[in-house]
Amino acid sequence: MFFRKLGKAIKMEKREDPRSILKYLPLVAQSPSLAWPRSVEQELQTISKGPDKSMVNSGEALALHITNMRKYLSLNAGDGSPNPLQGYSVFFDKKISREESDKFFGEVVPTLCGLLLQLPSMLETHYQKADHVLDGVASGLRILAPQEAGIVFLSQELIAALLACSFFCLFPEADRRSKHLQSINFEYLFSFPSMSSCTKRENKIRCLLHYFERVCQCMPTGFVSFERKVLPRGHNPHYVSYPDADYWAKSTTPLCSVEIHTSGAIEDQPGEALEVDFADEYIGGLTLSYDTLQEEIRFVINPELIAGMIFLPRMDANEAIEIVGVERFSRYTGYGPSFQYAGDYTDEKDSDSFKRRKTRVIAIDALPNPGSTQYKPEALLREINKAFCGYLHQCKHQAGPPPSSAVESSRRLCMDDHEEKVGVATGNWGCGVFGGDPEVKIMLQWLAVSQSGRPLISYYTFGLQVLQNVDQVIERIGLQEMKVGELWSKLVEYSAERSSRRTRLGFFSWLTSSLSSTTD
């Protein structure tokens, strides 16, 4: 198979990146390039001419053409959700106004089809440039499998085309589950009858459609990087290996500064920071499904995050995913059932030398429904190491001993010399539907941020009552001049007592009592 650009042929069959992703794309290999199947291309060309010629002026008509294209791609009806055709009809023909619908079918849908027609040539250009972004380090679109540290650089335009594939439900889904990949088509969002009564799902769709409206009006020109970060299980002379309990107990690293915010949201924090995404092990979680948790909100106001779901399988316990450069397009109000799209958002974040917005999102998944097992040593270790993996920065080591704050990655170089000075913005990670203990989780994150060498943790409590006294606890710990190892040991001691039911106190009360008895 060959790709050709301006008369220059590049042998693609020797490249691992396109070979790993091709079966998950709706394109076919037709030497010397990739292409849409002819029947699908004809459908896209027809729709791209606008509703006056295509007659695609309603959700019902759109769903009929989607069904045709899926048939041409040999995508079985069983690959999708129940009654997706009715869901498109319900939303576009009943849920939004005729004016909104006319504008979407008159302006956005034809432009998206025109964008999809360019997808084969866009991928061609992408792979030509992929080896030159990071001085020969692979950065092309490919499956970034678990335990394979690596990075993918995508232009915002290519991401828009890939997400347009999701909107038209054109991605093959059959083999995705076997590779631990999320469903990526929008069928479940539009599934019926849930669509008829689910307000939060309707508002998720409104955020995503607003994204398409924006990129069709003015296509962004920046880039987004997606990176799988790994803390190696075995010894690695160049990187920090997966720490054991002894590593944490012996740490003499000072605790970093803490800022507590009782209101506001992580994505609205004013300064530069690693912004923690309270992720599912499958990045994106239920974004393209029925629920609306904090992670799903982040993914629909920054829809470029969804692109990672295409090629990033689930995370293992020693992994995190870092996404840099995503643009925010929507405002919102509420949470869960009260979530609502609240209009346009203009993202004014600066860009770095790689043309990525200085928005750094760290996806780390907490233990789900851990109950009392979260106080066991192995659970504490799993959680602190998961956060540690996400917060460590990556830096190419020079001659001599490797830096202690390096996690395995494909970069092997500092992409941002300023990165180690950037703090972490986080909150009640794993403490909502996942059922984690907020008092323990804030301490674990504080320890991980401190050990990673970052200067600050900005913690958003979202008004959680159990954390109302956290400022005083942090101040008390500061007065003791505790180091990471000392606070970790206190946490382990408390968890042992909690696990064995020798105490029913929360960690804050237990620690305060413990410190008081020590000083008496």
Side-chain angles (χ1 to χ4, degrees), residues 283-304:
I283 186 171
L286 301 173
T287 299
L288 301 183
S289 185
Y290 52 85
D291 215 337
T292 313
L293 307 176
Q294 191 64 34
E295 178 180 24
E296 284 73 57
I297 290 175
R298 190 65 197 265
F299 273 58
V300 296
I301 66 173
N302 293 85
E304 290 160 337

mmCIF file with all atom_site columns, all heavy atoms in Angstrom, residues 283-304:
data_model
loop_
_atom_site.group_PDB
_atom_site.id
_atom_site.type_symbol
_atom_site.label_atom_id
_atom_site.label_alt_id
_atom_site.label_comp_id
_atom_site.label_asym_id
_atom_site.label_entity_id
_atom_site.label_seq_id
_atom_site.pdbx_PDB_ins_code
_atom_site.Cartn_x
_atom_site.Cartn_y
_atom_site.Cartn_z
_atom_site.occupancy
_atom_site.B_iso_or_equiv
_atom_site.pdbx_formal_charge
_atom_site.auth_seq_id
_atom_site.auth_comp_id
_atom_site.auth_asym_id
_atom_site.auth_atom_id
_atom_site.pdbx_PDB_model_num
ATOM 1   N N   . ILE A 1 283 ? -11.135 5.628  28.774 1.00 0.00 ? 283 ILE A N   1
ATOM 2   C CA  . ILE A 1 283 ? -11.154 7.080  28.696 1.00 0.00 ? 283 ILE A CA  1
ATOM 3   C C   . ILE A 1 283 ? -12.432 7.561  28.008 1.00 0.00 ? 283 ILE A C   1
ATOM 4   O O   . ILE A 1 283 ? -12.864 7.007  27.010 1.00 0.00 ? 283 ILE A O   1
ATOM 5   C CB  . ILE A 1 283 ? -9.901  7.603  27.969 1.00 0.00 ? 283 ILE A CB  1
ATOM 6   C CG1 . ILE A 1 283 ? -9.865  9.136  28.039 1.00 0.00 ? 283 ILE A CG1 1
ATOM 7   C CG2 . ILE A 1 283 ? -9.819  7.097  26.544 1.00 0.00 ? 283 ILE A CG2 1
ATOM 8   C CD1 . ILE A 1 283 ? -8.565  9.720  27.530 1.00 0.00 ? 283 ILE A CD1 1
ATOM 9   N N   . GLY A 1 284 ? -13.042 8.581  28.576 1.00 0.00 ? 284 GLY A N   1
ATOM 10  C CA  . GLY A 1 284 ? -14.301 9.078  28.042 1.00 0.00 ? 284 GLY A CA  1
ATOM 11  C C   . GLY A 1 284 ? -15.510 8.502  28.728 1.00 0.00 ? 284 GLY A C   1
ATOM 12  O O   . GLY A 1 284 ? -16.596 9.076  28.672 1.00 0.00 ? 284 GLY A O   1
ATOM 13  N N   . GLY A 1 285 ? -15.318 7.347  29.383 1.00 0.00 ? 285 GLY A N   1
ATOM 14  C CA  . GLY A 1 285 ? -16.401 6.756  30.155 1.00 0.00 ? 285 GLY A CA  1
ATOM 15  C C   . GLY A 1 285 ? -17.694 6.645  29.377 1.00 0.00 ? 285 GLY A C   1
ATOM 16  O O   . GLY A 1 285 ? -17.757 6.031  28.316 1.00 0.00 ? 285 GLY A O   1
ATOM 17  N N   . LEU A 1 286 ? -18.736 7.288  29.895 1.00 0.00 ? 286 LEU A N   1
ATOM 18  C CA  . LEU A 1 286 ? -20.069 7.209  29.303 1.00 0.00 ? 286 LEU A CA  1
ATOM 19  C C   . LEU A 1 286 ? -20.403 8.443  28.469 1.00 0.00 ? 286 LEU A C   1
ATOM 20  O O   . LEU A 1 286 ? -21.572 8.756  28.271 1.00 0.00 ? 286 LEU A O   1
ATOM 21  C CB  . LEU A 1 286 ? -21.112 7.035  30.415 1.00 0.00 ? 286 LEU A CB  1
ATOM 22  C CG  . LEU A 1 286 ? -20.939 5.791  31.290 1.00 0.00 ? 286 LEU A CG  1
ATOM 23  C CD1 . LEU A 1 286 ? -21.923 5.825  32.450 1.00 0.00 ? 286 LEU A CD1 1
ATOM 24  C CD2 . LEU A 1 286 ? -21.107 4.531  30.478 1.00 0.00 ? 286 LEU A CD2 1
ATOM 25  N N   . THR A 1 287 ? -19.384 9.128  27.974 1.00 0.00 ? 287 THR A N   1
ATOM 26  C CA  . THR A 1 287 ? -19.610 10.357 27.218 1.00 0.00 ? 287 THR A CA  1
ATOM 27  C C   . THR A 1 287 ? -20.596 10.151 26.082 1.00 0.00 ? 287 THR A C   1
ATOM 28  O O   . THR A 1 287 ? -21.491 10.966 25.858 1.00 0.00 ? 287 THR A O   1
ATOM 29  C CB  . THR A 1 287 ? -18.286 10.891 26.636 1.00 0.00 ? 287 THR A CB  1
ATOM 30  O OG1 . THR A 1 287 ? -17.399 11.184 27.705 1.00 0.00 ? 287 THR A OG1 1
ATOM 31  C CG2 . THR A 1 287 ? -18.520 12.162 25.824 1.00 0.00 ? 287 THR A CG2 1
ATOM 32  N N   . LEU A 1 288 ? -20.430 9.077  25.328 1.00 0.00 ? 288 LEU A N   1
ATOM 33  C CA  . LEU A 1 288 ? -21.288 8.827  24.171 1.00 0.00 ? 288 LEU A CA  1
ATOM 34  C C   . LEU A 1 288 ? -22.429 7.885  24.524 1.00 0.00 ? 288 LEU A C   1
ATOM 35  O O   . LEU A 1 288 ? -23.024 7.251  23.659 1.00 0.00 ? 288 LEU A O   1
ATOM 36  C CB  . LEU A 1 288 ? -20.466 8.261  23.016 1.00 0.00 ? 288 LEU A CB  1
ATOM 37  C CG  . LEU A 1 288 ? -19.320 9.168  22.556 1.00 0.00 ? 288 LEU A CG  1
ATOM 38  C CD1 . LEU A 1 288 ? -18.605 8.565  21.364 1.00 0.00 ? 288 LEU A CD1 1
ATOM 39  C CD2 . LEU A 1 288 ? -19.829 10.563 22.208 1.00 0.00 ? 288 LEU A CD2 1
ATOM 40  N N   . SER A 1 289 ? -22.756 7.840  25.814 1.00 0.00 ? 289 SER A N   1
ATOM 41  C CA  . SER A 1 289 ? -23.847 7.010  26.281 1.00 0.00 ? 289 SER A CA  1
ATOM 42  C C   . SER A 1 289 ? -24.888 7.894  26.944 1.00 0.00 ? 289 SER A C   1
ATOM 43  O O   . SER A 1 289 ? -25.100 9.030  26.546 1.00 0.00 ? 289 SER A O   1
ATOM 44  C CB  . SER A 1 289 ? -23.311 5.931  27.220 1.00 0.00 ? 289 SER A CB  1
ATOM 45  O OG  . SER A 1 289 ? -24.317 5.044  27.603 1.00 0.00 ? 289 SER A OG  1
ATOM 46  N N   . TYR A 1 290 ? -25.458 7.418  28.033 1.00 0.00 ? 290 TYR A N   1
ATOM 47  C CA  . TYR A 1 290 ? -26.628 8.057  28.607 1.00 0.00 ? 290 TYR A CA  1
ATOM 48  C C   . TYR A 1 290 ? -26.334 8.943  29.806 1.00 0.00 ? 290 TYR A C   1
ATOM 49  O O   . TYR A 1 290 ? -27.139 9.770  30.187 1.00 0.00 ? 290 TYR A O   1
ATOM 50  C CB  . TYR A 1 290 ? -27.633 6.987  29.048 1.00 0.00 ? 290 TYR A CB  1
ATOM 51  C CG  . TYR A 1 290 ? -27.030 5.939  29.936 1.00 0.00 ? 290 TYR A CG  1
ATOM 52  C CD1 . TYR A 1 290 ? -26.928 6.128  31.306 1.00 0.00 ? 290 TYR A CD1 1
ATOM 53  C CD2 . TYR A 1 290 ? -26.533 4.756  29.385 1.00 0.00 ? 290 TYR A CD2 1
ATOM 54  C CE1 . TYR A 1 290 ? -26.352 5.169  32.123 1.00 0.00 ? 290 TYR A CE1 1
ATOM 55  C CE2 . TYR A 1 290 ? -25.954 3.788  30.197 1.00 0.00 ? 290 TYR A CE2 1
ATOM 56  C CZ  . TYR A 1 290 ? -25.876 3.996  31.555 1.00 0.00 ? 290 TYR A CZ  1
ATOM 57  O OH  . TYR A 1 290 ? -25.293 3.047  32.352 1.00 0.00 ? 290 TYR A OH  1
ATOM 58  N N   . ASP A 1 291 ? -25.192 8.782  30.457 1.00 0.00 ? 291 ASP A N   1
ATOM 59  C CA  . ASP A 1 291 ? -24.977 9.457  31.730 1.00 0.00 ? 291 ASP A CA  1
ATOM 60  C C   . ASP A 1 291 ? -24.240 10.774 31.541 1.00 0.00 ? 291 ASP A C   1
ATOM 61  O O   . ASP A 1 291 ? -23.733 11.069 30.469 1.00 0.00 ? 291 ASP A O   1
ATOM 62  C CB  . ASP A 1 291 ? -24.189 8.568  32.686 1.00 0.00 ? 291 ASP A CB  1
ATOM 63  C CG  . ASP A 1 291 ? -24.633 8.756  34.126 1.00 0.00 ? 291 ASP A CG  1
ATOM 64  O OD1 . ASP A 1 291 ? -25.187 9.814  34.423 1.00 0.00 ? 291 ASP A OD1 1
ATOM 65  O OD2 . ASP A 1 291 ? -24.426 7.829  34.928 1.00 0.00 ? 291 ASP A OD2 1
ATOM 66  N N   . THR A 1 292 ? -24.172 11.567 32.607 1.00 0.00 ? 292 THR A N   1
ATOM 67  C CA  . THR A 1 292 ? -23.489 12.852 32.558 1.00 0.00 ? 292 THR A CA  1
ATOM 68  C C   . THR A 1 292 ? -22.751 13.080 33.860 1.00 0.00 ? 292 THR A C   1
ATOM 69  O O   . THR A 1 292 ? -23.210 13.798 34.749 1.00 0.00 ? 292 THR A O   1
ATOM 70  C CB  . THR A 1 292 ? -24.489 14.014 32.326 1.00 0.00 ? 292 THR A CB  1
ATOM 71  O OG1 . THR A 1 292 ? -25.369 13.668 31.267 1.00 0.00 ? 292 THR A OG1 1
ATOM 72  C CG2 . THR A 1 292 ? -23.748 15.283 31.940 1.00 0.00 ? 292 THR A CG2 1
ATOM 73  N N   . LEU A 1 293 ? -21.601 12.459 33.996 1.00 0.00 ? 293 LEU A N   1
ATOM 74  C CA  . LEU A 1 293 ? -20.753 12.657 35.154 1.00 0.00 ? 293 LEU A CA  1
ATOM 75  C C   . LEU A 1 293 ? -19.756 13.759 34.840 1.00 0.00 ? 293 LEU A C   1
ATOM 76  O O   . LEU A 1 293 ? -19.753 14.337 33.761 1.00 0.00 ? 293 LEU A O   1
ATOM 77  C CB  . LEU A 1 293 ? -20.054 11.348 35.505 1.00 0.00 ? 293 LEU A CB  1
ATOM 78  C CG  . LEU A 1 293 ? -20.985 10.137 35.681 1.00 0.00 ? 293 LEU A CG  1
ATOM 79  C CD1 . LEU A 1 293 ? -20.178 8.894  35.936 1.00 0.00 ? 293 LEU A CD1 1
ATOM 80  C CD2 . LEU A 1 293 ? -21.977 10.380 36.795 1.00 0.00 ? 293 LEU A CD2 1
ATOM 81  N N   . GLN A 1 294 ? -18.848 14.048 35.804 1.00 0.00 ? 294 GLN A N   1
ATOM 82  C CA  . GLN A 1 294 ? -17.920 15.152 35.588 1.00 0.00 ? 294 GLN A CA  1
ATOM 83  C C   . GLN A 1 294 ? -17.036 14.913 34.374 1.00 0.00 ? 294 GLN A C   1
ATOM 84  O O   . GLN A 1 294 ? -16.756 15.819 33.600 1.00 0.00 ? 294 GLN A O   1
ATOM 85  C CB  . GLN A 1 294 ? -17.056 15.361 36.834 1.00 0.00 ? 294 GLN A CB  1
ATOM 86  C CG  . GLN A 1 294 ? -16.243 16.648 36.805 1.00 0.00 ? 294 GLN A CG  1
ATOM 87  C CD  . GLN A 1 294 ? -17.115 17.890 36.792 1.00 0.00 ? 294 GLN A CD  1
ATOM 88  O OE1 . GLN A 1 294 ? -18.186 17.924 37.380 1.00 0.00 ? 294 GLN A OE1 1
ATOM 89  N NE2 . GLN A 1 294 ? -16.679 18.920 36.089 1.00 0.00 ? 294 GLN A NE2 1
ATOM 90  N N   . GLU A 1 295 ? -16.586 13.649 34.191 1.00 0.00 ? 295 GLU A N   1
ATOM 91  C CA  . GLU A 1 295 ? -15.734 13.355 33.032 1.00 0.00 ? 295 GLU A CA  1
ATOM 92  C C   . GLU A 1 295 ? -16.484 13.605 31.741 1.00 0.00 ? 295 GLU A C   1
ATOM 93  O O   . GLU A 1 295 ? -15.949 14.193 30.795 1.00 0.00 ? 295 GLU A O   1
ATOM 94  C CB  . GLU A 1 295 ? -15.250 11.908 33.060 1.00 0.00 ? 295 GLU A CB  1
ATOM 95  C CG  . GLU A 1 295 ? -14.403 11.565 31.830 1.00 0.00 ? 295 GLU A CG  1
ATOM 96  C CD  . GLU A 1 295 ? -13.898 10.143 31.830 1.00 0.00 ? 295 GLU A CD  1
ATOM 97  O OE1 . GLU A 1 295 ? -14.509 9.280  32.480 1.00 0.00 ? 295 GLU A OE1 1
ATOM 98  O OE2 . GLU A 1 295 ? -12.895 9.888  31.159 1.00 0.00 ? 295 GLU A OE2 1
ATOM 99  N N   . GLU A 1 296 ? -17.767 13.171 31.681 1.00 0.00 ? 296 GLU A N   1
ATOM 100 C CA  . GLU A 1 296 ? -18.526 13.345 30.451 1.00 0.00 ? 296 GLU A CA  1
ATOM 101 C C   . GLU A 1 296 ? -18.765 14.822 30.157 1.00 0.00 ? 296 GLU A C   1
ATOM 102 O O   . GLU A 1 296 ? -18.766 15.245 28.999 1.00 0.00 ? 296 GLU A O   1
ATOM 103 C CB  . GLU A 1 296 ? -19.851 12.598 30.559 1.00 0.00 ? 296 GLU A CB  1
ATOM 104 C CG  . GLU A 1 296 ? -19.720 11.096 30.395 1.00 0.00 ? 296 GLU A CG  1
ATOM 105 C CD  . GLU A 1 296 ? -19.082 10.426 31.602 1.00 0.00 ? 296 GLU A CD  1
ATOM 106 O OE1 . GLU A 1 296 ? -19.603 10.581 32.715 1.00 0.00 ? 296 GLU A OE1 1
ATOM 107 O OE2 . GLU A 1 296 ? -18.062 9.753  31.432 1.00 0.00 ? 296 GLU A OE2 1
ATOM 108 N N   . ILE A 1 297 ? -18.958 15.634 31.194 1.00 0.00 ? 297 ILE A N   1
ATOM 109 C CA  . ILE A 1 297 ? -19.103 17.073 30.992 1.00 0.00 ? 297 ILE A CA  1
ATOM 110 C C   . ILE A 1 297 ? -17.845 17.625 30.347 1.00 0.00 ? 297 ILE A C   1
ATOM 111 O O   . ILE A 1 297 ? -17.906 18.394 29.373 1.00 0.00 ? 297 ILE A O   1
ATOM 112 C CB  . ILE A 1 297 ? -19.392 17.789 32.333 1.00 0.00 ? 297 ILE A CB  1
ATOM 113 C CG1 . ILE A 1 297 ? -20.800 17.448 32.821 1.00 0.00 ? 297 ILE A CG1 1
ATOM 114 C CG2 . ILE A 1 297 ? -19.239 19.303 32.165 1.00 0.00 ? 297 ILE A CG2 1
ATOM 115 C CD1 . ILE A 1 297 ? -21.118 18.010 34.184 1.00 0.00 ? 297 ILE A CD1 1
ATOM 116 N N   . ARG A 1 298 ? -16.697 17.243 30.853 1.00 0.00 ? 298 ARG A N   1
ATOM 117 C CA  . ARG A 1 298 ? -15.445 17.760 30.293 1.00 0.00 ? 298 ARG A CA  1
ATOM 118 C C   . ARG A 1 298 ? -15.292 17.358 28.830 1.00 0.00 ? 298 ARG A C   1
ATOM 119 O O   . ARG A 1 298 ? -14.804 18.135 28.003 1.00 0.00 ? 298 ARG A O   1
ATOM 120 C CB  . ARG A 1 298 ? -14.255 17.242 31.120 1.00 0.00 ? 298 ARG A CB  1
ATOM 121 C CG  . ARG A 1 298 ? -12.927 17.926 30.753 1.00 0.00 ? 298 ARG A CG  1
ATOM 122 C CD  . ARG A 1 298 ? -13.020 19.407 31.111 1.00 0.00 ? 298 ARG A CD  1
ATOM 123 N NE  . ARG A 1 298 ? -12.004 20.219 30.476 1.00 0.00 ? 298 ARG A NE  1
ATOM 124 C CZ  . ARG A 1 298 ? -10.843 20.561 31.047 1.00 0.00 ? 298 ARG A CZ  1
ATOM 125 N NH1 . ARG A 1 298 ? -10.563 20.140 32.262 1.00 0.00 ? 298 ARG A NH1 1
ATOM 126 N NH2 . ARG A 1 298 ? -9.999  21.333 30.427 1.00 0.00 ? 298 ARG A NH2 1
ATOM 127 N N   . PHE A 1 299 ? -15.709 16.153 28.501 1.00 0.00 ? 299 PHE A N   1
ATOM 128 C CA  . PHE A 1 299 ? -15.551 15.673 27.135 1.00 0.00 ? 299 PHE A CA  1
ATOM 129 C C   . PHE A 1 299 ? -16.523 16.326 26.157 1.00 0.00 ? 299 PHE A C   1
ATOM 130 O O   . PHE A 1 299 ? -16.222 16.398 24.966 1.00 0.00 ? 299 PHE A O   1
ATOM 131 C CB  . PHE A 1 299 ? -15.702 14.150 27.089 1.00 0.00 ? 299 PHE A CB  1
ATOM 132 C CG  . PHE A 1 299 ? -14.418 13.412 27.345 1.00 0.00 ? 299 PHE A CG  1
ATOM 133 C CD1 . PHE A 1 299 ? -13.711 13.597 28.535 1.00 0.00 ? 299 PHE A CD1 1
ATOM 134 C CD2 . PHE A 1 299 ? -13.899 12.527 26.419 1.00 0.00 ? 299 PHE A CD2 1
ATOM 135 C CE1 . PHE A 1 299 ? -12.527 12.922 28.789 1.00 0.00 ? 299 PHE A CE1 1
ATOM 136 C CE2 . PHE A 1 299 ? -12.706 11.850 26.654 1.00 0.00 ? 299 PHE A CE2 1
ATOM 137 C CZ  . PHE A 1 299 ? -12.021 12.051 27.845 1.00 0.00 ? 299 PHE A CZ  1
ATOM 138 N N   . VAL A 1 300 ? -17.660 16.803 26.613 1.00 0.00 ? 300 VAL A N   1
ATOM 139 C CA  . VAL A 1 300 ? -18.581 17.444 25.664 1.00 0.00 ? 300 VAL A CA  1
ATOM 140 C C   . VAL A 1 300 ? -18.348 18.946 25.556 1.00 0.00 ? 300 VAL A C   1
ATOM 141 O O   . VAL A 1 300 ? -18.707 19.552 24.547 1.00 0.00 ? 300 VAL A O   1
ATOM 142 C CB  . VAL A 1 300 ? -20.064 17.147 25.981 1.00 0.00 ? 300 VAL A CB  1
ATOM 143 C CG1 . VAL A 1 300 ? -20.349 15.674 25.822 1.00 0.00 ? 300 VAL A CG1 1
ATOM 144 C CG2 . VAL A 1 300 ? -20.481 17.657 27.356 1.00 0.00 ? 300 VAL A CG2 1
ATOM 145 N N   . ILE A 1 301 ? -17.722 19.578 26.559 1.00 0.00 ? 301 ILE A N   1
ATOM 146 C CA  . ILE A 1 301 ? -17.370 20.991 26.394 1.00 0.00 ? 301 ILE A CA  1
ATOM 147 C C   . ILE A 1 301 ? -16.018 21.137 25.706 1.00 0.00 ? 301 ILE A C   1
ATOM 148 O O   . ILE A 1 301 ? -15.708 22.180 25.138 1.00 0.00 ? 301 ILE A O   1
ATOM 149 C CB  . ILE A 1 301 ? -17.395 21.762 27.733 1.00 0.00 ? 301 ILE A CB  1
ATOM 150 C CG1 . ILE A 1 301 ? -16.322 21.268 28.693 1.00 0.00 ? 301 ILE A CG1 1
ATOM 151 C CG2 . ILE A 1 301 ? -18.787 21.718 28.356 1.00 0.00 ? 301 ILE A CG2 1
ATOM 152 C CD1 . ILE A 1 301 ? -16.190 22.098 29.968 1.00 0.00 ? 301 ILE A CD1 1
ATOM 153 N N   . ASN A 1 302 ? -15.196 20.088 25.779 1.00 0.00 ? 302 ASN A N   1
ATOM 154 C CA  . ASN A 1 302 ? -13.930 19.992 25.025 1.00 0.00 ? 302 ASN A CA  1
ATOM 155 C C   . ASN A 1 302 ? -14.006 18.744 24.138 1.00 0.00 ? 302 ASN A C   1
ATOM 156 O O   . ASN A 1 302 ? -13.346 17.743 24.403 1.00 0.00 ? 302 ASN A O   1
ATOM 157 C CB  . ASN A 1 302 ? -12.724 19.862 25.962 1.00 0.00 ? 302 ASN A CB  1
ATOM 158 C CG  . ASN A 1 302 ? -12.468 21.093 26.795 1.00 0.00 ? 302 ASN A CG  1
ATOM 159 O OD1 . ASN A 1 302 ? -13.072 21.245 27.852 1.00 0.00 ? 302 ASN A OD1 1
ATOM 160 N ND2 . ASN A 1 302 ? -11.573 21.940 26.357 1.00 0.00 ? 302 ASN A ND2 1
ATOM 161 N N   . PRO A 1 303 ? -14.813 18.750 23.088 1.00 0.00 ? 303 PRO A N   1
ATOM 162 C CA  . PRO A 1 303 ? -15.083 17.512 22.339 1.00 0.00 ? 303 PRO A CA  1
ATOM 163 C C   . PRO A 1 303 ? -13.857 16.871 21.708 1.00 0.00 ? 303 PRO A C   1
ATOM 164 O O   . PRO A 1 303 ? -13.892 15.670 21.393 1.00 0.00 ? 303 PRO A O   1
ATOM 165 C CB  . PRO A 1 303 ? -16.073 17.966 21.247 1.00 0.00 ? 303 PRO A CB  1
ATOM 166 C CG  . PRO A 1 303 ? -16.718 19.191 21.808 1.00 0.00 ? 303 PRO A CG  1
ATOM 167 C CD  . PRO A 1 303 ? -15.628 19.883 22.583 1.00 0.00 ? 303 PRO A CD  1
ATOM 168 N N   . GLU A 1 304 ? -12.781 17.628 21.519 1.00 0.00 ? 304 GLU A N   1
ATOM 169 C CA  . GLU A 1 304 ? -11.575 17.022 20.937 1.00 0.00 ? 304 GLU A CA  1
ATOM 170 C C   . GLU A 1 304 ? -11.017 15.913 21.826 1.00 0.00 ? 304 GLU A C   1
ATOM 171 O O   . GLU A 1 304 ? -10.285 15.042 21.341 1.00 0.00 ? 304 GLU A O   1
ATOM 172 C CB  . GLU A 1 304 ? -10.531 18.102 20.667 1.00 0.00 ? 304 GLU A CB  1
ATOM 173 C CG  . GLU A 1 304 ? -10.925 19.034 19.528 1.00 0.00 ? 304 GLU A CG  1
ATOM 174 C CD  . GLU A 1 304 ? -10.184 20.366 19.565 1.00 0.00 ? 304 GLU A CD  1
ATOM 175 O OE1 . GLU A 1 304 ? -9.715  20.762 20.639 1.00 0.00 ? 304 GLU A OE1 1
ATOM 176 O OE2 . GLU A 1 304 ? -10.106 21.013 18.512 1.00 0.00 ? 304 GLU A OE2 1
#
